């Protein structure tokens, strides 16, 4: 039995004893490559049913072969993705550059708050607030032209698109517990994005006297 934050495994031994193990899932991101790797491993274990020692060695091999990306590479991805979203939503080339810079701010803020142990809700508030403030400053100094496109492009790095899609899939498949929990998480993240952005814009307007 598995839901997004907990996995329960139960089995009966050859002697008739029932065994159960419960593991709580720590906060994590979405690694599509790692997901595909372990999904393929699960299918192989089900099809071949190797001995336990062989299965454990396959799991350890998969864990070693999974790649992890350094912070500079992640920030480069934030710059490229958020910049392209700013351009996609109607911004010009300067807006694309500023959107990329704000995306880097989001990546740095999320990395630092995760290192300090912040939960996803407050990390999202901090990332949204920092990116919106950076966008306002960039437009104020004349580097960007359209504030809305810059902010929207940067915030796309925080939008829980995969979580919401998986929630709808689980609900339609009848997995109500998993679907509702993921939908609630997506709604809370959306509220955190709105709250963080509103805090920065409101603070700037207060300081600017308008």
């Amino acid at each position: 039995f598995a839901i997004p934050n907990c996995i329960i495994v139960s089995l009966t031994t050859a002697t008739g004893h029932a065994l159960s193990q419960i593991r709580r899932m720590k906060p994590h991101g979405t690694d599509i490559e790692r997901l595909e790797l372990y999904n393929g491993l699960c299918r192989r274990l089900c099809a071949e049913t190797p001995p336990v020692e062989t299965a454990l060695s396959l799991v350890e091999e998969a864990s070693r072969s999974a790649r992890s990306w350094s912070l500079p590479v992640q920030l480069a991805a934030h710059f490229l993705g958020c910049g392209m979203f700013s351009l996609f939503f109607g911004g010009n080339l300067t807006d694309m550059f500023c959107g990329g810079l704000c995306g880097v701010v989001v990546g740095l803020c999320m990395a630092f708050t995760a290192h300090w142990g912040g939960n996803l809700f407050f990390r999202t508030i901090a990332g949204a607030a920092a990116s919106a403030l950076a966008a306002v400053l960039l437009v104020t100094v004349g580097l960007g032209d359209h504030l809305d496109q810059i902010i929207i492009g940067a915030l796309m790095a925080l939008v829980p698109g995969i979580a919401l899609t998986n929630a709808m899939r689980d609900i339609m498949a009848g997995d109500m517990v998993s679907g509702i929990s993921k939908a609630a998480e997506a709604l809370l993240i959306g509220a955190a994005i709105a709250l963080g952005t509103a805090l920065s814009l409101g603070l700037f307007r207060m300081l600017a006297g308008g």
Side-chain angles (χ1 to χ4, degrees), residues 187-209:
L187 291 175
L188 286 175
I189 293 175
I193 294 173
L195 181 58
T197 305
L199 285 174
S200 286
L201 295 180
L203 179 61
F204 178 79
R205 290 178 181 174
M206 289 176 58
L207 296 177

Side-chain angles (χ1 to χ4, degrees), residues 117-171:
N119 61 46
L120 182 59
F121 182 76
F122 291 104
R123 287 166 53 199
T124 303
I125 291 178
S131 65
L133 183 60
V136 170
L137 293 177
L138 289 172
V139 172
T140 301
V141 299
L143 291 179
D145 295 328
H146 303 95
L147 179 62
D148 293 346
Q149 281 76 7
I150 296 173
I151 291 178
I152 293 173
L155 293 182
M156 289 302 294
L158 300 172
V159 172
I162 294 179
L164 188 58
T165 301
N166 289 340
M168 294 299 102
R169 181 201 62 190
D170 289 343
I171 290 174

Side-chain angles (χ1 to χ4, degrees), residues 89-132:
F89 287 119
N92 52 33
L93 292 179
T94 57
D95 296 331
M96 179 184 71
F97 178 75
C98 292
L101 291 179
C102 293
V104 172
V105 172
V106 172
L108 285 172
C109 190
M110 296 294 285
F112 287 147
T113 51
H115 179 71
W116 295 334
N119 61 46
L120 182 59
F121 182 76
F122 291 104
R123 287 166 53 199
T124 303
I125 291 178
S131 65

Side-chain angles (χ1 to χ4, degrees), residues 55-68:
L56 290 176
S57 64
L58 290 174
V59 171
E60 293 175 356
E61 180 183 353
S63 179
R64 289 193 300 267
S65 62
R67 295 183 293 179
S68 60

Side-chain angles (χ1 to χ4, degrees), residues 30-41 162 166:
T30 302
D31 189 332
I32 300 298
E33 182 182 23
R34 193 181 296 262
L35 179 64
E36 182 180 0
L37 179 65
Y38 283 113
N39 185 48
L41 176 60
I162 294 179
N166 289 340

Side-chain angles (χ1 to χ4, degrees), residues 39-62:
N39 185 48
L41 176 60
C42 289
R43 294 179 183 276
R44 177 180 176 182
L45 294 178
C46 291
E48 300 178 2
T49 58
V52 175
E53 294 77 9
T54 304
L56 290 176
S57 64
L58 290 174
V59 171
E60 293 175 356
E61 180 183 353

